Structure formats: C-alpha cells, structure tokens
C-alpha cells in the first residue's frame, strides 16, 4: 500500500484486513463514555500501529490535515474531521466554491496553495474523477492524499466501512453474495465496493436498469450484472442500495420515480422474499429506493454504517501515517 | 537554393518511381538534373539511406492564430510543420474569430507569406461555426479557402448540412466534417468502454462518430456531386461506412491521425490528460480496422489534427483538461514506425497517403520529382532509430504523450519555395 488511499482497486487484501481490524478496535474505543482525552489514548490496548508518537500522546499530534471538499458532503466531511481530531491532528477544512473552479481556477493552482500550507495530509472530495490522483501526482511525496469521493470513480473509505459492517454482521466475507443496486453508472460507492469485496472473496452482482449500468461492467469488474432485482433476492447475503439522484429522472435515465421504485426499490414485499442485510450510503430517498421501516429495521446496517465511518477513517489515517518513515 | 543531393532513394508514386543511388541537382529552387554520379559546384549532401519524396501535406492543423497566440502562431506552426517534414499544411478555421469571412483569410495569408511551408486555409461552413446559417462560402472560396469545415464541432442540424452540401457543390469545395453527434458525447472526456467504466468517466461512444458519418454520406449522395471528407476518423464502424460508400462510388474521403492508429484508450492510464483527444483514443480493434482501411485505400490521408495547448490546459484532471495533442513533429516518425516498419504499408503507399492524396483533396497542384519542376520535397531516413525528446519540439506548445518514444524513421530535411530546412545533419 502506498502512502495515499486513492482507490480500492489495488489495495492488498491483507491491508484491507488490517484496516478492518483496526476499525473494530477504534469502534470499541469510541464507545467509551466521556470526553476523548489524551490519557484515554495512552490506555488504549492494543497500542497504535505507529510507534512514532510519544507515550501518552495522540499519534497525529503536530500534524496538519486539510479536508478539501469541492463538493458538499456533511456526513463524510464531519466523519473525517472527527477521526482527524481524535487522533490529535490539527485540522483545516476548506470548502472552495465549486464556482471558482468553473471560473477557470485550475486544480494546479489549488495544489500550489496547498503546498504552501505545508500540510501532512489532504482529504479530498471532488465532482471530477481523477482529482485525488492528480493531487497525489503533484504534491510532495510526504503529503498523504485520501480520496473522499471523486466523481463516479471511487470512495474507498465508504467501501471499507461497508465491508467492516458486513463482516461484523456476516462473518468473513469469503463466499458471501453482495448485490449492489441502483445507479451504478454514476456511483463511486459501487466501484470502490466491487474491488474491495472481490479482494475479500465475496461475490458481487450489480443490479441496475440498462440506462444506469456502465458499458462492459461485467467484464471490467469480473462480476455478474443483471437488470432484474428479484433475481438476486433469494441468494444475496447483503443488498447495498444506492442513492438515486432525483435529477436523473429529468435527464431521462428512467421514466418516473414510481416506476423506479417498482423495479428497483427494496419494498417491504421484496424484503419478505429476501434474508439479506440492507446497506445504504445515505442520504436515503425514503419511499424510493428504501422505506423508513427497512432503513431503520432489524436487518438494516444503515445507522451502524454511519458510526463505523469515524472508526474506519481513524484506521486509515493511522496506517497511512505509520508508513511515512 | 542551389544544392546537390547525393545517393538518395527517390520515391515518386505519381511516376511509379523508386530508385536508389540517385543524385539530384537543385538550381534556383528547381530540379535541374537527376542522375547517377552527377558533378556539380553546389553544396553537396550525402543522403545515403534516405528517401526523397514529394513534399508531405498535412490537411488538418490548428494554428490558433488569430486569438490564441500563446498556444501557437502561424509562424511557429509553420516552423513546426517545416521541421516535421511538411511542405504544405491546411489550417482549420476554429480560431477566434473563426475563419468565417474573407478578412481572416487574407490576414492568415499575409502572416504565412514567404515561408518554406505553403499554407492552405479551411473556412467555416456555417457562420461563426454555430451550425445555424451558411457561412459566406462563395466569398471564402473567392478568397482562396481550399475546404470548409466547422471543425471542433459537427453541424447537428441535417437541414443546415444539406444546404452546406448544396451550396459548397457550386464551388467544388471539399466539405470536411468533424463527426460527433453532440447529444451522445456531452461531458465525455474519453472513449466509452472498459476504461471509462473502470474510471467512472462519462464515455464518448464510437456510435456518436458513426451516426454523423452515416448521415452525411447519405445526404451527400442525395445532394450529389459534392465532395465529402470525414475528418480524423477513429472507429472501426466509420471505416466500414466509408468503405461501403466508396464501393457505391460516393465522393467520400477521410483521414486518420497518427495517434488514432497508435494509441488506445488504455493510454489514459499511462499518459493521463496527454491522451485526451477528440475524437477519443479507441480500442485495439479500432486500430486494426484503421490500419486495414489505410491498406485498402478506404482511408485516403494521414493528418495530424495538430492541436497546441498551453501547459495549464493539460495540467489538470481528465475531465477539465483540453482535448488534443500537437502532431506536426511526430507524424512522420510515427507513420514510418507504425505503418511502414511493420510492413502494413510500402513506402510508396505511405507517401501517397501523406502527400499525393491530401494535396489532391485540397486541390493543390501535384508534386512531381522531375527535371524542370520546383523542388518540393520531404527527405527522411526510414530506418533511423531515435528517441523523440522535448527539445525536438518547435511548436509553441508541448502537449504530446510521445516525448521519450522511440521511433524507426526520422525526417532529415524539407525543401520548398526555394528554401531548404535540415532537421538533421
Ligand atoms: Zn476535429
């Protein structure tokens, strides 16, 4: 694993396992009541992977991390901020107006500004695929770049937290069947998940209408694809519902929300024909891809996914910073 | 220009001539004598191992002047063409302002005056390239444009296109289309296929090119008598459509760029934005079809689509980056490497696609290497192995993925208009 987390495509399975294990550990730690104070770190068992920190000091003390969110996402941004702070880092969050980029401010200019700030890591979310890679290529080597979602490309920490929760609920993922349902075409969650789940030995099926299925997806990802949700219900161990962007209908990807729900919604009736756990990256369109009862029901991992977010991001930061030296 | 070229291999397809060990004496820019063992007082140049061919012509070049002189000027572009081995190029009309009126034509002509490289000019086919109203095609023809095109975009409206064909037919102008059905390519930076799927990028499907070619062929045949030329074709389907049209006897021609017969969309993963082109780089199957099309004559010409961009236009992510690469200085080495050294084309067949055919399509006089004719020649060493370096670039812009590439075949010199330029000693 390199010093950046840009994609899950080449993430070795052992690294993924380490990250999932560490996120389990942090999840436990986060459950402790009271303020998160320095001594609690020192008491933590097992000790952090990194041995760089002084006894009793948070491992990222003295490091500065910038969260660069060109695209609004309160949930992901907050989750990263909490993870960074709890590891003791100094945190700056920049939300450059998206309009400044469209006005021609180049990404390279942004890089130069960031470089001048002497940062240790950058968490970036951008509507264009490839921006995190671009930053990694142009920033000095010691700056870790973490992809917090780039266009329809990847969202690796989301895939890690999904896998962590599925592993908790299902046990080892080898041989498990995960269906990812909805707007695969525009989904970075789907792309990051498919690589990660495959590396852990899971079987993945993409379910989407033909208009929202990327070309050659089965071949590119080495998985099964289908347009028929009912087909996967009996065998899926987990069903990951993707958020449908409501404006896709206006752009002609499907005829109406009613029809979408009828074909691809995880309705109570469909729930009754499946034993699968339900995941959703949020925010949910209630009554379209999922109903509230399903989203917060027994078989749903939705709220646990949110809790897991901070723990996974702590594990990622810990690992990246531990391989600096 | 007085010169004695020694020991050359002369290849002139128009005379079916391919002979080695010839000397060519050039006096006052004209071919004075061709023979073996010639004696002369002129400066002699030994061309052993090199080919002397009729001057190459690149019919699809973006010079950026007027409007974007920081990327390229008419002078810097002509210099790049000269060092790349071309004696003539045709500049495309998507400048600022576009070549939509005769004043821009005379401005460009004035800037190109006296250069070694001849400059042909392409005018727009609709006003300001908007695809709505006919450009003043008669005035443009009178001012000397050799073809018309809205290059950079296609004329979407079929009725407007029909009128372009009908009107251009009166002046026998070559009508060149940038073949892109824009509703299918909106915000698509690369080819639609495995790479776009993996990277999560919107794909530019091959069918978007083929739809326009199919429509235009049908319209041009329906109108009748007009010459239609598909610019920079990139897909197997396009080659098939043009092959079928030619078999019916339609007045259809097309060109291909060196990058489209060399690189696939997988190059995006290696070269990033330097591999972002319009039309995009396709797949190996498309390359195979293009090479077959070059072999059987379906593809008439090799053009560079030389597209200079400033560094910052490319130093960004793939979605925001500009389309296109420079091509004048790498075209001949790439062609010799990919088509000739591999045995796909003979040198003579290659020369036809780089000189005879593009000149014919533009209506430029044919070049013959004969005593009494002006010396317009491209001289290259087809077997020379070398590595292309950034310092070899004379264009103002340096956007190319080919820096560092090893080629078999190298341009040595360019002779035209009584001037000689030697790229290599
Ligand atoms: Zn074009």
């Amino acid at each position: 694993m390199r010093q950046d987390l840009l994609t899950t495509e080449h993430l070795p399975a052992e690294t993924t396992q380490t990250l999932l294990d560490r996120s389990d550990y942090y999840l436990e730690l986060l459950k402790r009541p009271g303020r998160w104070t320095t001594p609690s770190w020192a008491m933590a068992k097992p000790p952090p992977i990194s041995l760089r920190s002084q006894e009793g000091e948070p491992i990222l003390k003295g490091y500065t991390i910038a969260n660069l969110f060109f695209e609004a996402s309160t949930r992901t941004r907050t989750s990263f901020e909490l993870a960074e702070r709890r590891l003791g880092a100094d945190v700056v969050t920049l939300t450059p107006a998206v309009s400044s980029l469209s006005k021609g401010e180049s990404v390279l200019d942004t890089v130069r500004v960031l470089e001048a700030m002497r940062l240790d890591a950058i968490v970036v979310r951008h509507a264009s695929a490839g921006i995190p890679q671009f930053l990694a290529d142009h920033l000095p080597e010691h700056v870790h770049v973490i992809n917090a979602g780039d266009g329809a490309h990847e969202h690796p920490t989301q895939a890690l937290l999904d896998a962590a929760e599925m592993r908790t609920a299902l046990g080892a993922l080898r041989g498990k069947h995960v269906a990812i349902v909805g707007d695969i075409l525009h989904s970075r969650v789907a792309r990051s998940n498919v690589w990660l789940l495959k590396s852990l030995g899971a079987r993945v099926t993409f379910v989407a209408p033909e208009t929202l299925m990327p070309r050659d997806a089965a071949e590119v990802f080495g998985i099964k694809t289908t347009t028929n949700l009912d087909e996967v219900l009996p065998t899926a161990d987990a069903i990951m519902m993707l958020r449908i962007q409501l404006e896709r209908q206006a752009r002609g990807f499907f005829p109406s929300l009613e029809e979408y729900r009828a074909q691809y919604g995880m309705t109570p009736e469909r729930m009754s024909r499946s034993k699968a756990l339900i995941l959703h990256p949020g925010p949910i369109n209630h009554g379209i891809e999922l109903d509230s009862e399903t989203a917060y029901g027994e078989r749903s991992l939705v709220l646990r996914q949110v809790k897991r977010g901070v723990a996974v991001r702590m594990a990622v930061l810990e690992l990246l910073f531990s391989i600096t030296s | 220009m007085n010169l004695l070229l020694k020991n050359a291999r002369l290849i002139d397809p128009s005379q079916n001539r391919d002979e080695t060990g010839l000397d060519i004496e050039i006096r006052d820019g004209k071919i004075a004598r061709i023979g073996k063992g010639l004696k002369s007082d002129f400066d002699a140049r030994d061309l052993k191992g090199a080919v002397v061919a009729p001057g190459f012509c690149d019919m699809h070049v973006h010079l950026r002047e007027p409007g974007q002189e920081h990327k390229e000027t008419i002078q810097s572009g002509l210099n790049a063409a000269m060092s790349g081995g071309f004696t003539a190029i045709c500049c495309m009309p998507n400048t600022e302002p576009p070549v939509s009126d005769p004043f821009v034509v005379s401005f460009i002509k004035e800037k190109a005056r006296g250069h070694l490289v001849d400059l042909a000019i392409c005018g727009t086919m609709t006003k300001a390239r908007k695809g709505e109203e006919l450009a003043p095609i008669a005035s443009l023809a009178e001012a000397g444009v050799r073809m018309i095109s809205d290059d950079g975009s296609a004329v979407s409206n079929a009725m407007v296109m029909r009128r372009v064909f009908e009107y251009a037919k009166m002046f026998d102008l070559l009508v060149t289309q940038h073949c892109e059905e824009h509703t299918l390519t909106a915000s698509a930076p690369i080819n639609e296929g495995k790479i776009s799927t993996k990277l999560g990028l919107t794909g530019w499907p091959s069918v978007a090119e083929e739809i326009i070619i199919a429509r235009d062929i049908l319209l041009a045949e329906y109108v009748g008598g007009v010459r239609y030329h598909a610019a920079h074709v990139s897909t197997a389907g396009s080659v098939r459509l043009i092959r079928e049209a030619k078999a019916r006897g339609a007045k259809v021609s097309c060109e291909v760029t060196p990058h489209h017969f060399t690189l696939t969309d997988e190059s995006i993963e290696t070269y990033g934005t330097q591999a972002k082109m319009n039309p995009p780089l396709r797949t190996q199957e498309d390359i195979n079809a293009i090479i077959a099309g070059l072999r059987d004559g379906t593809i008439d010409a090799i053009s560079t689509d030389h597209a200079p961009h400033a560094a910052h236009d490319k130093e960004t992510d793939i979605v925001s980056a500009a389309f296109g690469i420079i091509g004048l200085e790498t075209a001949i080495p790439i062609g010799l490497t990919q088509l000739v050294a591999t045995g796909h084309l003979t040198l003579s067949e290659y020369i036809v696609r780089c000189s005879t055919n593009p000149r014919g399509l533009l209506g430029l006089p044919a070049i013959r290497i004969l005593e009494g004719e002006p010396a317009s020649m491209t001289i290259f060493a087809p077997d020379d192995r070398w590595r292309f370096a950034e310092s070899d670039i004379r264009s103002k812009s340096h956007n190319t993925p080919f820096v560092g590439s090893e080629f078999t075949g190298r341009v040595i010199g360019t002779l035209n208009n009584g001037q000689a330029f030697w790229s290599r000693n």
Side-chain angles (χ1 to χ4, degrees):
Chain A
M1 185 179 176
R2 46 179 296 171
Q3 302 175 43
D4 305 317
L5 181 63
L6 304 177
T7 78
T8 58
E9 190 189 346
H10 304 292
L11 206 58
E14 318 85 77
T15 309
T16 302
Q17 295 291 3
T18 304
L19 287 169
L20 299 186
D21 292 345
R22 291 304 289 177
S23 81
D24 283 348
Y25 159 71
Y26 281 117
L27 197 64
E28 279 310 305
L29 213 56
L30 288 167
K31 282 180 187 160
R32 295 188 183 182
R35 285 176 57 206
W36 183 280
T37 54
T38 303
S40 74
W41 178 266
M43 293 183 313
K45 299 274 186 271
I49 296 171
S50 166
L51 301 172
R52 287 149 42 80
S53 65
Q54 299 283 326
E55 185 87 11
E57 277 201 335
I59 49 168
L60 297 191
K61 189 173 161 66
Y63 290 108
T64 307
I65 302 178
N67 299 303
L68 190 60
F69 278 65
F70 291 92
E71 199 184 66
S73 166
T74 313
R75 181 181 302 195
T76 305
R77 201 196 66 216
T78 311
S79 171
F80 269 108
E81 281 176 4
L82 283 174
E84 293 152 3
R85 291 215 163 89
R86 283 180 175 165
L87 293 176
D90 295 320
V91 177
V92 283
T93 293
L94 306 161
T95 49
V98 176
S99 58
S100 73
L101 267 192
S102 54
K103 277 180 198 146
E105 184 192 320
S106 79
V107 186
L108 204 61
D109 289 340
T110 310
V111 171
R112 291 188 178 119
V113 172
L114 292 173
E115 216 177 324
M117 290 179 182
R118 306 191 62 85
L119 300 164
D120 300 294
I122 286 173
V123 175
V124 60
R125 150 125 2 162
H126 198 286
S128 289
I131 293 277
Q133 179 71 57
F134 179 84
L135 293 178
D137 290 344
H138 287 82
L139 284 165
E141 275 213 347
H142 63 84
V143 183
H144 308 294
V145 179
I146 300 169
N147 181 1
D150 61 330
H153 180 219
E154 289 226 30
H155 191 2
T157 55
Q158 176 74 40
L160 284 164
L161 71 89
D162 290 340
E165 279 311 311
M166 281 189 274
R167 191 178 75 160
T168 304
L170 296 169
L173 295 180
R174 181 156 301 282
K176 297 291 189 302
H177 182 199
V178 181
I180 304 180
V181 183
D183 184 358
I184 309 283
L185 185 66
H186 302 96
S187 176
R188 47 193 170 216
V189 173
R191 282 174 183 76
S192 274
N193 261 292
V194 73
W195 299 125
L196 197 81
L197 289 168
K198 279 188 61 179
S199 84
L200 296 175
R203 180 159 69 90
V204 180
T205 305
F206 279 171
V207 184
E210 195 68 37
T211 48
L212 291 171
M213 185 75 85
R215 201 166 168 84
D216 301 327
E219 205 182 324
V220 171
F221 301 109
I223 55 162
K224 245 195 86 188
T225 62
T226 174
T227 57
N228 187 346
L229 175 55
D230 295 313
E231 204 174 83
V232 304
L233 292 179
T235 58
D237 297 295
I239 300 181
M240 193 177 291
M241 302 301 296
L242 300 174
R243 175 178 165 79
I244 194 85
Q245 301 284 330
L246 301 182
E247 71 270 14
R248 303 279 182 232
Q249 186 213 332
R251 295 184 46 207
F253 286 99
F254 52 89
S256 70
L257 292 172
E258 294 72 37
E259 188 158 309
Y260 183 84
R261 175 180 166 81
Q263 299 292 317
Y264 298 100
M266 203 59 199
T267 57
E269 191 276 322
R270 282 204 175 95
M271 284 298 286
S272 71
R273 283 190 282 133
S274 164
K275 290 190 173 61
L277 298 165
I278 299 296
L279 294 92
H280 191 293
I284 298 165
N285 296 303
H286 293 283
I288 301 173
E289 67 260 7
L290 273 187
D291 296 330
S292 304
E293 308 89 86
T294 313
Y296 303 117
E298 288 196 311
R299 276 156 59 196
S300 167
L301 300 180
V302 171
L303 291 176
R304 302 177 51 151
Q305 286 174 276
V306 181
K307 277 190 200 148
R308 177 68 73 157
V310 178
V312 154
R313 282 152 189 143
M314 289 173 80
V316 167
L317 288 164
E318 177 192 32
L319 189 65
L320 290 180
F321 276 84
S322 72
I323 28 188
T324 305
S325 42
Chain B
M1 174 177 59
N2 294 325
L3 266 176
L4 181 65
L5 308 177
K6 301 281 291 174
N7 299 313
R9 176 174 173 191
L10 192 166
I11 306 182
D12 182 352
S14 72
Q15 310 170 59
N16 257 326
R17 189 165 189 184
D18 182 350
E19 283 173 62
T20 47
L22 286 182
D23 299 345
I24 305 171
E25 187 190 50
I26 295 164
R27 180 190 297 271
D28 300 328
K30 283 193 169 168
I31 298 167
R33 288 188 292 162
I34 302 177
K36 294 204 172 177
L38 295 185
K39 297 267 181 296
S40 166
D41 296 338
F42 299 159
D43 280 348
R45 236 188 144 84
D46 190 11
L47 295 182
K48 198 163 167 45
V51 170
V52 171
F56 281 20
C57 171
D58 182 348
M59 62 187 291
H60 195 127
V61 173
H62 297 276
L63 293 184
R64 306 299 187 208
E65 187 180 4
Q68 290 185 301
E69 288 82 355
H70 66 288
K71 295 182 174 184
E72 194 81 285
T73 62
I74 291 164
Q75 278 299 314
S76 68
L78 290 171
N79 288 344
M82 173 176 79
S83 78
F86 293 94
T87 62
I89 61 174
C90 181
C91 60
M92 301 309 286
N94 49 341
T95 47
E96 295 166 16
V99 188
S100 275
D101 72 63
F103 297 111
V104 184
V105 177
S106 15
F107 168 85
I108 294 172
K109 277 188 168 170
E110 193 50 46
K111 291 268 176 178
R113 192 188 297 278
H115 204 278
L116 181 152
V117 178
D118 298 318
L119 182 59
I121 300 169
C122 177
T124 69
M125 44 197 187
T126 69
K127 276 181 195 151
R129 300 176 50 248
K130 286 190 174 152
E132 292 160 6
E133 298 168 81
L134 291 182
I137 293 170
S139 320
L140 289 170
E142 219 160 77
V145 305
R146 293 282 169 176
M147 63 179 187
I148 52 171
S149 174
D150 281 359
D151 189 49
S153 47
V155 172
S156 304
N157 184 309
M159 179 54 101
V160 173
M161 200 57 223
R162 173 190 174 153
R163 292 194 175 120
V164 167
F165 281 134
E166 288 170 338
Y167 202 77
K169 173 180 161 181
M170 301 191 288
F171 313 98
D172 193 32
L173 280 174
L174 187 70
V175 177
T176 298
Q177 185 79 281
H178 170 110
C179 304
E180 177 177 1
E181 209 295 313
H182 294 281
T183 64
L184 286 171
T185 63
S187 61
I190 69 167
N191 180 50
E192 180 169 81
K194 296 187 182 74
I195 303 296
S196 67
T197 289
K198 189 172 137 189
L199 299 180
L201 295 167
T202 307
W204 198 125
S206 50
V207 71
E209 175 172 309
E210 295 149 11
I211 281 176
I212 295 295
I213 291 185
R215 178 201 72 174
D216 286 352
I217 288 172
L218 294 174
L219 268 175
E221 284 183 286
Y222 182 77
V223 167
V226 63
R227 294 189 295 134
Y228 173 71
H229 181 79
H232 39 58
V233 298
S234 68
T235 79
S238 300
V239 176
R240 176 177 60 79
L241 286 163
I242 291 161
R243 182 179 290 124
E244 288 165 2
K246 283 189 166 183
R248 291 197 297 272
K251 286 183 164 186
V252 169
S253 58
C254 71
E255 66 190 26
V256 68
T257 74
H259 47 269
H260 285 117
F261 60 68
T262 309
L263 302 174
T264 68
D265 57 358
E266 288 174 24
S267 311
I268 302 289
E269 294 188 303
T270 323
Y271 300 114
T273 57
Q274 296 295 1
K276 182 179 175 184
M277 328 272 189
N278 183 341
L281 298 172
R282 305 290 187 182
T283 67
Q284 190 58 46
E285 293 83 76
D286 295 300
I287 290 184
N288 297 345
I290 284 167
I291 289 174
L294 279 163
R295 286 174 66 114
D296 72 9
T298 300
I299 298 173
D300 302 83
I302 297 168
S303 310
T304 62
D305 193 11
H306 178 77
H309 287 294
H312 67 260
D313 296 316
K314 284 288 193 183
E315 281 179 344
T316 181
D317 63 293
I318 193 86
V319 179
S320 344
F323 287 101
I325 57 167
I326 55 166
L328 287 165
E329 287 135 313
T330 49
I332 296 174
I334 295 172
L336 291 169
T337 306
Q338 292 295 118
L339 304 173
V340 179
T342 51
H344 292 307
L345 295 183
T346 65
L347 274 168
S348 183
E349 288 166 339
Y350 177 63
I351 291 164
V352 167
R353 284 146 189 82
C354 296
S355 175
T356 322
N357 284 353
R359 291 187 69 91
L361 288 165
L362 291 170
L364 298 172
I367 298 170
R368 290 177 309 161
I369 302 184
L370 269 181
E371 289 175 5
E373 293 280 320
S376 175
M377 299 166 175
T378 295
I379 302 168
F380 57 89
D383 302 321
D384 243 26
R385 287 175 70 87
W386 64 297
R387 199 172 285 280
F388 181 69
E390 192 150 3
S391 56
D392 293 314
I393 297 175
R394 289 176 76 96
S395 168
K396 259 192 153 177
S397 295
H398 288 198
N399 51 311
T400 169
F402 292 109
V403 167
S405 293
E406 195 174 86
F407 296 126
T408 303
R410 184 172 197 175
V411 173
I412 292 177
T414 316
L415 274 53
N416 195 37
N417 287 332
Q419 302 170 52
F421 177 81
W422 299 101
S423 345
R424 238 198 97 197
N425 290 319

